[in-house]
Amino acid sequence: MPAKKHQMFLLQIQLRNSITIPYKLAKFEKIYLPNLKTSLSYKIYETKSQLPENWDNLGCENIFLSSAYFEILEKSAPINMSCHYIGLFKEQELVGIAISQFLDLNKLESFGDRDRCVKASVRKFVLKNFASHVLLIGNNMLTGQNSFVFSDAISSVEGIKTLKKATNDLKAKFKLMGKKVHITTFKDYSQKDVENFASDAFSKNYKYSVQPNMTFPIRDEWRTEQDYIDSLTKKYRDQYKRARKKAEGIEKRKLHLEDIIRYEETIYDLYHHVAQNAPFNTFFLTKNHFRIFKETLKDKFLFYGYFIDGNLIGFNTLIKNGDTIDTYFLGYDDTVQREKMLYLNMLYDMIAYSINKGFKEIIFARTALEIKSSVGAIPMKMYGFMEHSNKQINKHVPKIFPKLEPEVAWQERNPFK
């Protein structure tokens, strides 16, 4: 090859590796980035209708990465959240799928009103002024690794590095909209997953850990709720009996779509009361969220209402995700919850259902760590990776972040013999 043509060829390679070329930039529907080293490219989608037809070949592995779930987000995501879906390709083959969410914390009515201490006030000030625009790979409405699924055709390291590149294009998109991303984060990974982030792409990221994910493994020998009860020590069998005794007079009903629509106002009030009194929130659900969930996922979404004298005083929700049950949002009348030990009874009901239906695990997520531990849930430490767009602030994130994280004092329990 002549020297001049050779130099031009090298220049083309350099350009392809350093420049991201947006496709249909005005709408920012898709982005395609060739990468000669890994042979991976990616496309970013804004809607379910844009997804490749074979998306659910991988999406079937996690319901929260399925096209059906994305439809729910399009119809009822929190008002301060924008979602994008990322497809990874090896040549023309779809080899990875992921979800990204952008949070605009300036649109929140509040961050949660339970804590009114100085630390909480400082946290709200810092978030509003220096971290109000957050871009994450993952799902801020859930706990656990619901970020991505990769096929066996690529390694997790390859896939994650490519997703990191995709965040640069997403940041460019929001900048065009006048929204500068302050923080970019990948969230909720186990210790084993963390190994896949050990690359130069994450060298300036702060590895953080917040409250653990409370998981409940279901033992093979448990066939009925009674098997679970029999495995408890006397202290926790007595707790179970006391809770069930307190719940006398409460009627539990499985609600169908027409019921959810009928009680929508009350459902939202019960949910909002619990959410508003949480120590910290980055979003609030829309009023139609549970209705859309039921319309879309049908029998994979379970909604249970708790009634006294015909009045709805609490509810909980479950999602079937393969052989796992994910607990979702709930709500209750606080005065009834205390008197009737309603929350604890809900936990027992979730365990009973999951055992009876042959599921392998329950994801109880975060919050209420000690009471979940008292029924047998186990804490799983989760990690995330965070980078601030301001280089000077980013240097100090390891010192700043731990001081802003809400403190949760709790004692782990072991209720089993």
Side-chain angles (χ1 to χ4, degrees):
M1 181 183 296
K4 193 170 183 179
K5 288 187 177 181
H6 180 69
Q7 290 173 355
M8 186 174 293
F9 178 70
L10 289 177
L11 178 61
Q12 289 173 345
I13 291 177
Q14 291 169 358
L15 287 172
R16 289 180 70 187
N17 279 329
S18 62
I19 297 177
T20 301
I21 305 172
Y23 174 74
K24 294 187 180 178
L25 181 60
K27 293 186 177 180
F28 232 88
E29 293 174 346
K30 302 180 182 179
I31 296 174
Y32 181 88
L33 179 71
N35 186 312
L36 298 182
K37 187 175 180 181
T38 63
S39 299
L40 288 184
S41 60
Y42 62 81
K43 294 182 182 179
I44 297 177
Y45 308 93
E46 290 186 348
T47 65
K48 172 194 169 185
S49 63
Q50 297 172 348
L51 299 178
E53 290 184 2
N54 61 340
W55 182 277
D56 284 330
N57 290 350
L58 292 175
C60 66
E61 295 185 26
N62 184 338
I63 197 169
F64 301 115
L65 288 167
S66 69
S67 60
Y69 177 71
F70 294 165
E71 182 179 341
I72 294 169
L73 292 179
E74 287 177 27
K75 294 179 179 178
S76 66
I79 60 170
N80 70 323
M81 179 183 290
S82 301
C83 300
H84 290 85
Y85 319 117
I86 307 169
L88 305 187
F89 297 85
K90 193 166 188 178
E91 297 178 351
Q92 301 301 315
E93 179 187 1
L94 182 67
V95 294
I97 59 175
I99 183 172
S100 170
Q101 293 177 340
F102 172 82
L103 296 173
D104 186 349
L105 301 185
N106 292 313
K107 293 183 178 181
L108 278 183
E109 56 187 88
S110 78
F111 287 104
D113 293 338
R114 193 191 74 180
D115 296 343
R116 297 183 180 275
C117 59
V118 173
K119 182 176 180 178
S121 298
V122 172
R123 180 171 65 242
K124 292 173 184 178
F125 174 81
V126 171
L127 289 172
K128 281 282 187 181
N129 291 278
F130 302 102
S132 59
H133 293 163
V134 181
L135 176 67
L136 60 96
I137 298 294
N139 195 321
N140 202 50
M141 303 169 72
L142 303 164
T143 304
Q145 203 292 80
N146 297 296
S147 304
F148 52 76
V149 169
F150 302 139
S151 77
D152 294 336
I154 62 170
S155 69
S156 294
V157 174
E158 282 182 293
I160 290 169
K161 287 173 69 175
T162 306
L163 290 176
K164 178 70 170 177
K165 293 175 182 176
T167 63
N168 293 328
D169 288 300
L170 285 166
K171 286 190 282 187
K173 171 196 171 174
F174 287 108
K175 187 175 181 179
L176 286 174
M177 297 168 60
K179 297 180 180 180
K180 181 181 178 181
V181 172
H182 299 128
I183 288 178
T184 305
T185 182
F186 286 61
K187 72 176 285 284
D188 279 355
Y189 304 99
S190 67
Q191 181 60 55
K192 185 178 179 180
D193 295 326
V194 166
E195 300 170 6
N196 299 318
F197 290 83
S199 69
D200 291 342
F202 291 88
S203 60
K204 296 180 181 179
N205 281 238
Y206 168 59
K207 185 177 82 170
Y208 63 91
S209 181
V210 292
Q211 293 181 36
N213 185 10
M214 300 301 287
T215 63
F216 185 93
I218 296 175
R219 298 179 183 179
D220 292 337
E221 62 267 25
W222 292 342
R223 302 294 181 183
T224 65
E225 181 185 14
Q226 189 59 50
D227 293 332
Y228 161 75
I229 297 167
D230 292 342
S231 69
L232 300 172
T233 62
K234 183 179 184 304
K235 174 182 176 180
Y236 290 98
R237 283 200 309 275
D238 289 345
Q239 174 182 280
Y240 175 89
K241 293 174 183 176
R242 185 168 63 255
R244 292 312 202 191
K245 182 72 174 176
K246 285 276 190 178
E248 290 180 357
I250 294 179
E251 177 192 1
K252 177 188 172 187
R253 294 184 211 161
K254 182 178 181 180
L255 300 192
H256 301 286
L257 177 59
E258 58 271 23
D259 302 313
I260 296 171
I261 294 172
R262 175 187 174 190
Y263 291 105
E264 192 163 81
E265 291 290 337
T266 304
I267 288 169
Y268 189 76
D269 288 344
L270 293 170
Y271 152 75
H272 195 263
H273 169 76
V274 173
Q276 191 74 26
N277 287 281
F280 184 65
N281 275 311
T282 54
F283 66 89
F284 288 90
L285 298 179
T286 56
K287 190 172 293 186
N288 70 347
H289 188 72
F290 299 110
R291 173 202 299 214
I292 297 299
F293 234 111
K294 190 63 176 175
E295 285 177 347
T296 308
L297 291 189
K298 299 179 172 57
D299 290 341
K300 289 185 178 180
F301 177 68
L302 305 174
F303 193 109
Y304 291 98
Y306 292 77
F307 295 81
I308 293 180
D309 296 330
N311 297 312
L312 181 65
I313 49 87
F315 72 90
N316 66 55
T317 53
L318 302 173
I319 301 167
K320 300 177 184 178
N321 192 6
D323 59 5
T324 297
I325 282 286
D326 276 80
T327 63
Y328 202 47
F329 292 94
L330 54 76
Y332 49 71
D333 181 317
D334 201 45
T335 57
V336 177
Q337 131 67 16
R338 293 177 184 178
E339 177 189 349
K340 298 289 189 177
M341 299 177 72
L342 182 57
Y343 184 76
L344 183 56
N345 276 291
M346 287 181 178
L347 295 179
Y348 287 134
D349 288 342
M350 295 171 185
I351 291 170
Y353 174 86
S354 301
I355 292 173
N356 292 337
K357 296 299 182 179
F359 288 91
K360 300 297 183 184
E361 183 183 37
I362 306 171
I363 304 299
F364 276 128
R366 297 189 170 97
T367 72
L369 306 179
E370 190 160 337
I371 192 171
K372 289 173 180 176
S373 179
S374 78
V375 301
I378 301 169
M380 176 182 289
K381 197 164 187 179
M382 308 299 291
Y383 299 90
F385 295 84
M386 173 193 304
E387 183 176 12
H388 199 284
S389 59
N390 183 301
K391 293 181 180 179
Q392 294 305 313
I393 294 178
N394 193 55
K395 290 179 182 178
H396 298 287
V397 167
K399 293 181 180 179
I400 298 171
F401 183 82
K403 295 178 181 178
L404 299 177
E405 175 64 16
E407 294 179 8
V408 179
W410 70 287
Q411 183 177 346
E412 185 174 352
R413 308 290 182 177
N414 179 16
F416 301 114
K417 295 175 182 176

